[in-house]
Amino acid sequence: PLWLHLTYQAVHTGTGRTPPAWEQWGGKADADYVSAMFVLDNGIGNITAAMKNAGMWDNTVFMVTSDNGGDCGLPVQSSPKHVNGAPGFASNWPLLGRKCTAWDGGTLTAAFVVGGLIPVARRGTTNDALFYITDWYVTFSNLAGVDPTDDWTDPLTNIAHGIDGVDVWPSLMAGSTP
C-alpha cells in the first residue's frame, strides 16, 4: 500500500506574495489564490497521470478535501456579493459562519473521492453523509489492511483514548450514513 499525503497550504491561506512565473495562472501574478489553485490543479493532474502511467490507478482511492470554510481574518459576509463593492471577503454562502467558527460555513466542506477502486456504479454520484476529517485515517488504514488502532494513555489521568474516527468506506460504497 502507498499512502501519499499532500497539503497545498497556499490555497489554504494564500501567500500574499507574487508567485514564481511557473505558478502563475494565465501569466498573471495579481491573484495569488487563483495561482495557488492553478498549481493545485496541475499537481493533481501530474499525480493522477503518473499513477495511471505506472499502472497504479486501478488500485487507487484518491481523496481531495478542505479542512474548513473561508478565512477567519476577514469579515463575515451574509451574501455572495462583495460588501460595499470591496473584494476579499470570505463567503461560504449560503452557509452561516467561516473558518474558526462551529457553524456549517466553518466546518462543512466539499470533498471528492475518485480512483479505480471506486465501483463504476458509484462514480459521479453524490454522498450527503456526514464525515469528519479523522474518519479518513481509519478508512484508509482499513483499505490498506493496516490496523488503525493507536490507543494513547494520558499519563496524568491514566485514561486510555482510542482513535476518534470510523471507517466510512461502507457509507461511500452504499451511499448510506456511517
Side-chain angles (χ1 to χ4, degrees):
L2 167 69
W3 174 293
L4 178 61
H5 184 117
L6 298 174
T7 56
Y8 284 86
Q9 293 298 315
V11 177
H12 182 79
T13 59
T15 61
R17 62 175 174 76
T18 302
W22 63 271
E23 290 183 343
Q24 293 177 21
W25 173 78
K28 298 178 182 176
D30 58 343
D32 88 291
Y33 279 109
V34 175
S35 293
M37 287 301 297
F38 177 74
V39 171
L40 171 70
D41 187 50
N42 285 324
I44 289 173
N46 291 340
I47 292 165
T48 55
M51 294 183 83
K52 288 176 182 179
N53 289 337
M56 298 171 67
W57 189 253
D58 290 343
N59 195 30
T60 293
V61 176
F62 192 100
M63 188 264 299
V64 175
T65 188
S66 176
D67 65 341
N68 49 245
D71 197 348
C72 182
L74 300 174
V76 174
Q77 187 171 331
S78 59
S79 77
K81 299 176 183 174
H82 294 300
V83 176
N84 297 327
F89 289 91
S91 176
N92 298 305
W93 180 263
L95 304 174
L96 177 64
R98 59 179 181 210
K99 182 186 342 186
C100 300
T101 70
W103 291 306
D104 280 352
T107 60
L108 186 65
T109 65
F112 66 87
V113 180
V114 297
L117 279 181
I118 307 297
V120 173
R122 294 297 302 149
R123 295 177 189 176
T125 63
T126 300
N127 189 316
D128 293 324
L130 181 62
F131 302 148
Y132 190 63
I133 195 73
T134 59
D135 296 334
W136 295 113
Y137 171 75
V138 176
T139 302
F140 288 133
S141 292
N142 284 337
L143 283 172
V146 176
D147 181 3
T149 305
D150 190 14
D151 292 345
W152 171 77
T153 302
D154 184 328
L156 296 176
T157 64
N158 208 29
I159 297 174
H161 302 276
I163 292 295
D164 185 17
V166 297
D167 186 348
V168 297
W169 188 252
S171 177
L172 288 172
M173 295 302 98
S176 62
T177 302

